[in-house]
């Protein structure tokens, strides 16, 4: 893959590309010669002329997409941008004063009087592009010269000064065209041009925030400390809240870590960000680094999370020089999971953000204090300059305001968002704040709540400005996890209805807004943060906590119930969670399902809690996460028995799911009475020929076969098959499941000739229904491959077993129990063809998977262990293994 490189040459034509070439030097043409090579596109201002007038919008469109801007600065400013063009640009970027604070003074007095060429430099800064600034020396030949006292010279000096406040400096001072060419060719442009011919070398980077630039106040000394500790101390440090504020959130720990990463990006081979507030979140977030937008590893398409996780850890071990942020490690359980990971993270620098302070000696604590009053004032003034109402006593009122806000960056940012959104003055906001402070005192309990009153008051002040729809949405989002929520969850009719219902509860008779407008309202006041690609958004955990604390009992119940219903509706679609085709939807929503279930269960909300709990349990079970799944299965059974009574059909479903999990983990004696009880309930409530009876019979058949009661099992599975054929017809995937279990029984009683056509029929049904790469097809292939092996058709069996293994590795990942089954079966076939050296790593790998997933005493582990011992003995003896 070859990179396309796009460049923009920013020059004043009269000075650096005179139309009368005999009387001037063509600097711009020389630069174009340097850049003239395949896969490089070069544009200049003249390319965007429309009817003789340059269009600022067109320049902006191109610079957004280009890689670098080379900005030649001389004595001439060039043509002034047309006021209409500037107004159009400001309409595109209403927050331009915040993003380019160097232009704030000009924006406050009206439209900035800047030339098109000057704007080109600021657009490069706005869009984060490489900006190479080259200044002509006093004696450098020009196409046009002007007097020393000409206003254009003064304007250019001011222009360079403004760029310096944005962190962009003159890198090149050139004496003539040859000097310019030599210096530019050895600047940052050199690497860009090399990219046009090289393989991709872009630095992995998933940092979720852009730099605050000059708005990042009061932390310079702290960032220097971080650098010294990481460079000259250990390779791992934790940013924690100083004891002065009891380790509370809102200090800006994440922001400090991000700013450090962005400021020192050139020193690292990759910039990586991982959420780590729970052990399961840590594993998921690390596994997600596999993806094409970050590390782009070969394992990225493997659905089994543990495989992608292992691939990322391996990459971190083999690729030194990276920087990794582990974010929000706020309790002991999360901290211990991180510490267990740290021995594998020695090839780079790790910065942990945490409210937890009790770290081992391998992690150096870095206490982060609140902002000083001076830094707080500077932030509020700069963040809101030109965007708030000003009053004569601003100096006194902003000082009083920052005292109330405790120097907490979260409170300061939300106050600034309010000031900008309402165009309020410092005095007006302070008055509002004090009014809410009185109210918040009535419900804020400092001994119980994990956030200071200033956060609560700041939030309460903003909350009053929200529409009822935005308030309703925030109430529901407060019950979700603080991790990113896929925006698609809230793009359904059920979501729109939930917002409307919540808005009516808060303000009866008001016209509700749609979900998009409700989200926009939260974003406007800093209560919701979007992911960079806007595919997901999140709400700060402290905002969630404050939101929940102030809800009335009726609002609490309604918002939790509605938020739960929205996610339940989103996750109700086919295919079910134990089908890998659903995992693209379930994986990013899993943490939110678990969080909502926990809240709802504590609140005594039975439905749809039990249904969502059951679905999450099926997902976890299909991933081989049996411990987590079992807790959910047992809890949903208890809820269903309490809600419906012990003889209800819903209870039968819960009994069957728990029994299957117990059977998977070799607790057959415990599983059997549950299966028989489920069967009895369904027969009593639904009749003997209902399709659910077939599912119950199928489950019981698998258990009877596992305990070698084949004669008892056979009539049950034949009855199940007959019920499903009557209910669904002959080509339904449920028929394939029954056929598979029947053929297993037939093989167990040595009726292979009777089993084979049923196996082939099952394979044909599943390939037709699911497609050729589904795990259900892998089961069919595995069973048919074993039958062919047992009938000595080894050449026909091998490709089927290999195909089954490939499907399951692709679907579940390399460490799933179904993969272990496939590895063992393929290894046994290889032994039968005396390929012992090829079989050994497969069966060893299968044994490792079984030990890790089910322990040393599970029958599958013991069986594969015996197979491995026999293989090793055969290899030592130089002959085939006998088992």
């Amino acid at each position: 893959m070859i990179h396309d490189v796009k460049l923009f040459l920013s020059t004043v034509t009269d000075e650096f590309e005179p139309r009368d070439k005999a009387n001037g030097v063509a600097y711009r043409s020389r630069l174009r010669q340097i850049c003239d090579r395949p896969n490089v596109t070069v544009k200049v201002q003249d390319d965007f002329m429309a009817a003789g007038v340059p269009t600022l919008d067109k320049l902006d469109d191109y610079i957004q997409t280009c890689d670098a801007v080379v900005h030649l600065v001389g004595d001439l400013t060039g043509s002034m941008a047309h006021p209409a063009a500037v107004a159009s640009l400001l309409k595109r970027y209403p927050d331009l004063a915040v993003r380019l604070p160097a232009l704030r003074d000009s924006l406050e007095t009206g439209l900035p009087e800047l030339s098109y060429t000057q704007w080109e430099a600021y657009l490069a800064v706005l869009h984060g592009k490489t900006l190479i600034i080259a200044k002509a020396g006093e004696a450098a030949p020009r196409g046009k010269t002007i007097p020393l006292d000409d206003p254009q010279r003064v304007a250019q000096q001011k222009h360079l000064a403004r760029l310096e406040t944005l962190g962009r400096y003159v890198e090149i001072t050139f004496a003539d065209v040859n000097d310019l060419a030599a210096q530019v060719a050895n600047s940052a442009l050199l690497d860009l041009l090399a990219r046009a011919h090289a393989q991709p070398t872009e630095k992995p980077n998933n940092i979720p925030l852009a730099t605050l630039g000059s708005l990042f106040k009061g932390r310079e000394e702290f960032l220097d400390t971080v650098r010294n500790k990481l460079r000259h101390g250990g390779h791992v440090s934790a940013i924690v809240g100083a004891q002065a504020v009891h380790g509370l959130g809102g200090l800006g720990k994440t922001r400090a870590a991000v700013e450090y990463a962005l400021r020192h990006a050139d020193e690292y081979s990759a910039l990586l960000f991982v959420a780590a507030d729970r052990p399961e979140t840590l594993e998921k977030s690390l596994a997600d680094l596999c993806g094409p937008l970050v590390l782009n590893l070969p394992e990225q398409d493997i659905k089994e999370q543990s495989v992608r996780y292992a691939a990322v850890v391996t990459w971190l071990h083999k690729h030194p020089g990276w920087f990794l942020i582990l974010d929000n490690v706020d309790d002991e359980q999360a901290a211990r999971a991180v510490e267990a990971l740290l021995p594998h993270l020695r090839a780079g620098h790790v910065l942990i953000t945490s409210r937890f302070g009790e770290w081992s000696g391998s992690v150096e604590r870095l206490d982060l204090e609140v902002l000083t009053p001076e830094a707080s004032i500077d932030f509020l003034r700069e963040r809101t300059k030109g965007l708030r109402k000003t009053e004569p006593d601003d100096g006194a009122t902003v000082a009083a305001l920052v005292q109330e806000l405790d120097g907490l960056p979260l409170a300061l940012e939300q106050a600034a968002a309010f000031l900008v959104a309402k165009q309020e003055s410092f005095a007006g906001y302070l008055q509002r704040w004090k009014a809410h402070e009185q109210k918040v005192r009535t419900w804020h309990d400092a001994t119980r709540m994990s956030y200071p009153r200033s956060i609560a008051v700041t939030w309460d002040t903003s909350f009053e400005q929200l529409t009822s729809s935005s308030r309703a949405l925030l109430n529901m989002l407060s019950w979700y996890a603080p991790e990113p929520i896929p925006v698609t969850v809230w793009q359904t009719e059920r979501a729109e209805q939930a917002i409307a219902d919540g808005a009516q509860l808060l303000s009866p008779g008001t016209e509700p807004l749609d979900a998009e407008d409700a989200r926009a309202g939260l974003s406007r006041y800093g209560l919701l943060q979007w992911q960079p690609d806007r595919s997901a958004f999140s709400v700060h955990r402290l905002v969630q906590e404050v939101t929940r604390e102030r809800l009335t009992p009726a609002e609490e119940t309604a918002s939790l119930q509605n938020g739960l219903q929205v996610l339940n509706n989103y996750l109700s679609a086919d295919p079910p969670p134990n089908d890998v085709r659903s995992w693209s939807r379930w994986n990013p929503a899993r943490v939110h399902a678990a969080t909502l279930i926990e809240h709802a269960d504590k609140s005594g909300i039975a439905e749809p809690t039990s249904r969502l709990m059951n679905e999450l349990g099926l997902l976890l079970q299909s991933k081989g996460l049996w411990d987590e799944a079992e807790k959910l299965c047992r809890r949903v059974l208890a809820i269903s028995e309490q809600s419906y009574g012990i003889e209800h059909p819903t209870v039968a479903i819960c009994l069957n799911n728990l029994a299957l999990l117990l059977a998977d983990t070799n607790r057959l004696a415990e599983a059997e009475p549950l299966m028989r009880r489920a069967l009895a309930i369904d027969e009593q409530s639904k009749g003997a020929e209902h399709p659910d009876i077939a599912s119950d019979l199928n489950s019981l058949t698998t258990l009877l076969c596992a305990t070698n009661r084949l004669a008892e099992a056979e009539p049950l599975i034949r009855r199940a098959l007959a019920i499903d054929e009557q209910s669904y017809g002959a080509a339904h995937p449920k028929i394939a499941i029954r056929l598979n279990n029947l053929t297993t029984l037939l093989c167990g009683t040595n009726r292979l000739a009777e089993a084979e056509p049923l196996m082939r029929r099952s394979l044909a049904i599943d390939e037709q229904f699911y497609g050729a790469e589904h795990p259900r097809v892998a089961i069919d292939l595995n069973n048919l491959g074993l039958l062919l092996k047992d009938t000595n058709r080894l050449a026909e069996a091998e490709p089927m077993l290999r195909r089954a293994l490939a499907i399951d590795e692709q679907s579940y990942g390399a460490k799933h129990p179904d993969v272990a089954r496939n590895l063992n079966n393929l290894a046994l076939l290889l032994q039968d063809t005396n390929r012992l050296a090829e079989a050994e790593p497969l069966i060893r790998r299968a044994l490792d998977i079984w030990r890790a997933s089910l322990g040393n005493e599970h029958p599958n582990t013991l069986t594969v262990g015996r197979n491995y011992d026999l293989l090793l003995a055969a290899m030592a003896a130089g002959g085939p293994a006998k088992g």
Side-chain angles (χ1 to χ4, degrees):
M1 175 180 171
I2 301 298
H3 283 285
D4 290 324
V5 172
K6 298 171 70 174
L7 304 174
F8 186 83
L9 304 183
S10 172
T11 65
V12 175
T13 301
D14 286 347
E15 191 168 13
F16 294 115
E17 187 71 12
R19 289 167 176 80
D20 181 5
K21 301 290 175 59
N23 296 318
V25 180
Y27 289 85
R28 194 169 68 193
S29 293
R30 185 62 178 276
L31 290 180
R32 270 194 147 159
Q33 287 178 352
I34 295 172
C35 303
D36 184 17
R37 56 190 73 192
N39 308 309
V40 177
T41 300
V42 181
K43 295 285 188 180
V44 300
Q45 190 184 118
D46 293 350
D47 297 329
F48 301 95
M49 300 285 285
V53 179
T55 302
L56 201 53
D57 285 348
K58 290 184 177 180
L59 289 169
D60 179 53
D61 289 339
Y62 181 77
I63 291 174
Q64 279 192 67
T65 66
C66 77
D67 296 282
V69 173
V70 181
H71 185 52
L72 298 193
V73 180
D75 298 332
L76 303 182
T77 58
S79 301
M80 289 293 114
H82 194 278
V86 178
S88 176
L89 188 72
L90 293 178
K91 188 175 181 180
R92 283 189 176 196
Y93 306 110
D95 60 344
L96 197 66
V98 175
R99 298 171 67 179
L100 294 176
L103 301 182
R104 183 173 287 117
D105 291 341
S106 298
L107 288 166
E108 286 179 343
T109 57
L111 297 178
E113 293 186 0
L114 301 174
S115 70
Y116 284 103
T117 306
Q118 290 172 336
W119 270 116
E120 289 157 6
Y122 296 122
L123 291 174
V125 177
L126 179 69
H127 299 304
K129 303 302 178 181
T130 297
L131 178 63
I132 302 170
I133 304 174
K135 185 177 183 298
E138 288 297 326
R142 332 281 175 94
K144 182 178 180 180
T145 59
I146 57 176
L148 293 176
D149 59 352
D150 191 286
Q152 291 191 67
R153 287 179 178 263
V154 177
Q156 287 292 69
Q157 293 304 313
K158 287 183 178 179
H159 171 58
L160 290 175
R162 281 193 295 261
L163 287 173
E164 287 183 1
T165 67
L166 296 172
R168 306 302 180 98
Y169 301 91
V170 174
E171 301 174 35
I172 295 169
T173 301
F174 57 92
D176 54 37
V177 68
N178 293 325
D179 186 32
L180 173 65
Q183 293 196 62
V184 167
N186 286 286
S187 68
L189 190 64
L190 180 64
D191 290 335
L192 287 170
L193 295 176
R195 280 177 48 194
H197 296 277
Q199 294 295 323
T201 56
E202 292 183 3
K203 181 181 298 185
N205 183 345
N206 73 323
I207 300 296
L209 303 170
T211 180
L212 286 179
S214 61
L215 286 172
F216 187 65
K217 304 289 187 184
R219 302 297 199 204
E220 298 300 326
E221 185 176 346
F222 179 80
L223 293 190
D224 288 342
T225 300
V226 172
R227 191 169 192 274
N228 289 334
K229 294 296 184 183
L230 291 176
R231 288 288 173 185
H232 306 299
H235 73 290
V236 180
S237 292
I239 301 176
V240 300
Q243 291 182 359
V245 290
H246 311 294
L248 294 171
L251 273 173
K253 300 181 294 292
T254 299
R255 171 54 68 182
V258 165
E259 290 291 339
Y260 177 86
L262 297 177
R263 290 191 184 195
H264 298 285
D266 291 344
E267 301 173 14
Y268 294 103
S269 60
L271 302 180
L272 305 172
F273 185 96
V274 166
D277 59 323
R278 301 182 182 91
E280 58 268 26
T281 307
L282 170 65
E283 180 171 341
K284 178 184 181 302
S285 297
L286 265 173
D288 288 347
L289 296 181
C290 245
L293 300 180
V294 191
L295 299 181
N296 197 28
L297 301 182
E299 296 84 355
Q300 62 187 267
D301 294 324
I302 294 176
K303 292 182 172 60
E304 180 59 32
Q305 181 173 288
S306 61
V307 178
R308 291 181 283 115
Y309 173 91
V312 171
V313 172
T314 299
W315 188 93
L316 293 170
H317 177 70
K318 293 182 176 179
H319 295 78
W322 41 262
F323 179 79
L324 171 65
I325 297 172
L326 299 177
D327 193 46
N328 284 323
V329 187
D330 289 340
D331 61 28
E332 184 172 4
Q333 187 180 21
R336 297 304 162 241
V338 166
E339 294 226 33
L341 176 66
L342 290 179
H344 304 286
L345 303 179
R346 299 188 181 279
H349 287 166
V350 179
L351 194 56
I352 301 165
T353 70
S354 176
R355 283 190 258 173
F356 183 74
E358 299 176 10
W359 293 91
S360 70
S362 62
V363 179
E364 177 134 21
R365 261 184 68 148
L366 298 169
D367 287 349
L368 187 65
E369 302 279 355
V370 296
L371 290 178
T372 64
E374 294 77 15
S376 300
I377 290 171
D378 286 348
F379 171 81
L380 281 180
R381 283 185 176 278
E382 184 173 336
R383 171 71 171 80
T384 64
K385 188 174 181 180
L387 303 169
R388 70 172 192 277
K389 180 181 177 182
T390 59
E391 294 185 352
D393 62 347
D394 273 357
T397 52
V398 73
L401 178 57
V402 300
Q403 183 176 359
E404 298 287 357
L405 296 178
D406 292 334
L408 285 162
L410 178 60
L412 289 162
E413 172 54 38
Q414 290 184 344
F418 183 103
L419 286 161
V420 171
K422 300 296 291 183
Q423 293 188 328
E424 181 63 277
S425 66
F426 290 135
Y429 182 78
L430 183 59
Q431 184 178 2
R432 293 175 189 254
W433 200 94
K434 287 184 175 180
H436 283 271
E437 205 269 347
Q438 296 294 324
K439 182 174 69 172
V440 168
R441 281 183 183 276
T442 66
W443 56 266
H444 185 274
D445 183 351
T447 63
R448 180 174 62 86
M449 297 177 179
S450 62
Y451 52 86
R453 193 167 67 250
S454 60
I455 288 284
V457 178
T458 303
W459 177 89
D460 209 68
T461 306
S462 296
F463 184 81
E464 189 178 72
Q465 308 304 312
L466 298 176
T467 64
S468 57
S469 295
S470 290
R471 289 165 60 199
L473 176 59
L474 183 59
N475 290 347
M476 289 185 282
L477 295 177
S478 72
W479 300 104
Y480 282 61
E483 282 75 31
I485 303 167
V487 71
T488 48
V489 173
W490 290 90
Q491 291 176 330
T492 66
E493 291 184 7
R494 184 65 187 83
E496 297 284 354
Q497 186 61 51
I499 292 173
D501 291 345
Q504 286 301 310
L505 177 64
L506 294 169
S507 302
T510 59
E511 186 69 25
L513 302 175
D514 64 21
E516 185 176 359
D517 287 337
R519 290 192 298 270
L522 297 181
S523 181
R524 186 177 304 118
Y525 289 97
L527 299 172
L528 175 152
Q529 293 78 43
W530 283 98
Q531 293 292 97
D533 62 359
R534 298 185 75 83
S535 65
F537 58 85
S538 59
V539 177
H540 194 284
R541 64 191 64 239
L542 289 187
V543 174
Q544 290 179 314
E545 189 173 342
V546 179
T547 302
R548 294 194 300 268
E549 290 287 352
R550 67 171 311 282
L551 294 174
T552 66
E555 291 168 351
E556 179 176 307
T557 300
S559 61
L560 176 53
Q561 181 86 47
N562 278 332
L564 186 69
Q565 289 280 8
V566 168
L567 190 67
N568 179 66
N569 175 77
Y570 177 73
L571 294 173
S572 295
D574 282 332
N578 54 355
D579 187 324
V580 295
R581 294 175 298 168
S582 74
W583 288 5
S584 61
R585 184 174 73 252
W586 264 96
N587 284 339
R590 172 180 155 190
V591 64
H592 300 292
T595 302
L596 282 163
I597 285 168
E598 183 178 355
H599 286 306
D601 197 21
K602 287 179 180 178
S603 297
I605 299 174
E607 286 298 334
T609 309
S610 60
R611 185 257 166 203
L612 192 59
M613 193 179 289
N614 181 71
E615 296 285 282
L616 180 58
L618 291 176
L619 174 75
L620 297 171
Q621 188 173 349
S622 67
K623 289 176 174 284
L625 302 172
W626 285 291
D627 288 344
E628 295 177 57
E630 184 174 345
K631 294 174 186 175
L632 292 174
C633 285
R634 291 190 180 279
R635 180 56 188 149
V636 75
L637 174 60
I639 292 172
S640 297
E641 287 181 326
Q642 183 176 2
S643 300
Y644 305 114
I646 60 175
E647 301 300 324
H648 194 276
T650 300
V651 173
I653 295 172
C654 301
L655 287 167
N656 197 48
N657 288 341
L658 176 58
L660 289 172
L661 186 147
L662 294 170
D664 282 344
T665 52
N666 196 40
R667 288 173 281 175
L668 303 178
E670 189 179 348
E672 184 171 347
L674 303 185
M675 289 183 179
R676 293 192 181 277
R677 183 181 156 201
L679 175 60
I681 292 171
D682 281 338
E683 285 184 322
Q684 177 65 31
S685 60
K686 300 174 181 177
E689 302 304 315
H690 193 279
D692 288 354
I693 303 299
S695 295
D696 297 335
L697 292 167
N698 182 78
S699 299
L700 185 55
T701 297
T702 59
L703 184 142
L704 293 171
C705 289
T707 53
N708 203 32
R709 289 178 280 172
L710 304 184
E712 186 180 351
E714 185 168 346
L716 302 186
I717 192 60
R718 289 192 181 278
R719 180 183 162 200
L721 178 59
I723 292 171
D724 279 341
E725 286 182 325
Q726 179 65 30
S727 301
Y728 301 112
H732 194 276
K734 286 186 180 291
I735 303 300
I737 295 174
R738 311 306 175 235
L739 289 170
N740 255 316
N741 287 335
L742 176 56
T743 56
T744 299
L745 187 149
L746 292 172
C747 290
T749 53
N750 202 32
R751 287 177 281 174
L752 303 184
E754 186 180 349
E756 183 172 344
L758 301 184
M759 286 185 179
R760 294 190 182 276
R761 180 182 163 199
S762 175
L763 174 60
I765 291 171
D766 282 338
E767 285 186 321
Q768 177 66 30
F769 188 85
Y770 294 111
E773 303 302 319
H774 194 276
R776 291 299 315 173
V777 173
I779 293 173
D780 301 326
L781 291 166
N782 178 74
N783 291 344
L784 183 55
L786 291 179
L787 183 145
L788 294 169
K789 171 180 172 291
D790 290 342
T791 53
N792 203 34
R793 288 175 282 175
L794 304 184
E796 191 178 348
E798 183 172 344
M800 293 199 170
L801 294 179
R802 289 192 181 278
R803 184 179 158 202
L805 173 60
I807 291 171
D808 281 339
E809 284 186 318
Q810 176 69 21
S811 300
Y812 298 126
K815 296 185 179 180
H816 194 275
D818 285 6
V819 172
R821 175 201 65 199
N822 298 331
L823 289 165
N824 179 71
N825 293 340
L826 179 57
L828 293 177
L829 183 144
L830 294 171
Q831 291 175 41
D832 286 349
T833 55
N834 203 31
R835 288 177 281 172
L836 307 186
E838 189 177 347
E840 189 275 334
L842 302 185
I843 201 165
R844 172 162 42 87
R845 185 177 152 205
L847 181 58
D848 289 341
I849 294 171
W850 282 119
R851 283 172 173 167
S853 60
L854 287 172
N856 292 327
E857 301 306 317
H858 191 277
N860 290 353
T861 308
L862 296 174
T863 298
V864 176
R866 285 193 295 272
N867 290 343
Y868 189 46
D869 290 340
L870 289 169
L871 173 64
L872 293 178
M875 293 177 71
K882 302 296 182 183

